[in-house]
Amino acid sequence: EGVTSIEEVIAEVRACWNGALAGQMQLLMPDIVVRPFLQTCAAVAAAASNEEGEEGAGRVGNGGVDIAFHWTSSANLPLIAERGLVVADGVVVRQANGHRLGPGIYASPCFRFGSRYGDTAIICICLRGTREKGLHEARSERNGCSSLESGRRRIVYRSTRQVMPCAAIRVPAAILHVRGAHEAVRAATAAVGVLARRFPGLATAGARPSFE
């Protein structure tokens, strides 16, 4: 398709959510997050095309794309809508939950898994990068891995540039299997399809949501 314009990709990705945002959903995707995320996608794809896929300083490896949920309190939505999900540094941004596996953005492909952490599920599109599996926080960081998977339900993404929060799904406490979540997954899947088409070198296989 020739040279890919980031502006065009932003518009295409956002268009995937047209018609999906009804009732319990709120669109997020602030420019301050979407643009760096898509620039990272472009860089990963370009590196793969040049056979330079290994991670270097600040580079995310071409490990695929996940669709996952990050749970939080609805009180945090105004800040997330403005700044996205930020990796806590313990000084400016405090990490509310999930210290055991080290710093990062905690998410899960399992919709119900993080529901004890808040009343709102944020569906995210995430770059896997180079992934470590297990419970080895120190080893993961020492090896330069950009994400850590603990079991099949918890994933930690080390950089803000790896995670694009797309929409917030407000979930009543008694109803965890909501229609809005399924609509969000369909929209996110369409957005991943846009990434695959616009950035041909980008690996887009990865974790997909479950509602078990």
Side-chain angles (χ1 to χ4, degrees), residues 21-202:
L21 300 171
Q24 295 161 313
M25 274 198 288
Q26 173 188 339
L27 183 67
L28 298 174
M29 294 197 290
D31 278 348
I32 196 172
V33 173
V34 176
R35 194 175 304 279
F37 177 84
L38 294 177
Q39 288 170 341
T40 302
C41 290
V44 170
S49 299
N50 294 328
E51 298 182 347
E52 297 174 359
E54 294 184 6
E55 289 193 46
R59 179 184 293 173
V60 175
N62 195 19
V65 177
D66 298 329
I67 298 174
F69 299 97
H70 172 88
W71 282 79
T72 188
S73 166
S74 56
N76 296 328
L77 286 182
L79 188 59
I80 294 170
E82 180 183 338
R83 299 175 53 190
L85 294 170
V86 179
V87 176
D89 59 8
V91 179
V92 178
V93 179
R94 183 178 64 85
Q95 188 151 337
N97 301 292
H99 300 275
R100 188 163 63 100
L101 299 176
I105 296 168
Y106 284 60
S108 175
C110 179
F111 177 65
R112 298 172 182 265
F113 180 73
S115 58
R116 66 184 180 275
Y117 298 124
D119 59 0
T120 302
I122 297 176
I123 188 165
C124 304
I125 297 174
C126 312
L127 295 173
R128 296 164 68 94
T130 300
R131 175 159 296 175
E132 183 88 58
K133 293 189 177 183
L135 296 171
H136 306 288
E137 171 200 340
R139 188 176 73 188
S140 168
E141 295 191 73
R142 184 171 63 249
N143 290 347
C145 293
S146 43
S147 65
L148 175 66
E149 182 177 350
S150 175
R152 299 180 63 183
R153 294 192 167 193
R154 184 186 288 114
I155 304 171
V156 186
Y157 301 93
R158 299 300 186 196
S159 168
T160 299
R161 292 176 69 95
Q162 289 175 256
V163 179
M164 180 171 66
C166 298
I169 308 159
R170 299 186 182 184
V171 184
I175 309 174
L176 285 182
H177 199 76
V178 296
R179 179 183 172 189
H182 292 276
E183 292 179 356
V185 169
R186 284 192 288 271
T189 301
V192 171
V194 171
L195 300 183
R197 180 165 50 83
R198 285 294 197 163
F199 306 115
L202 181 69

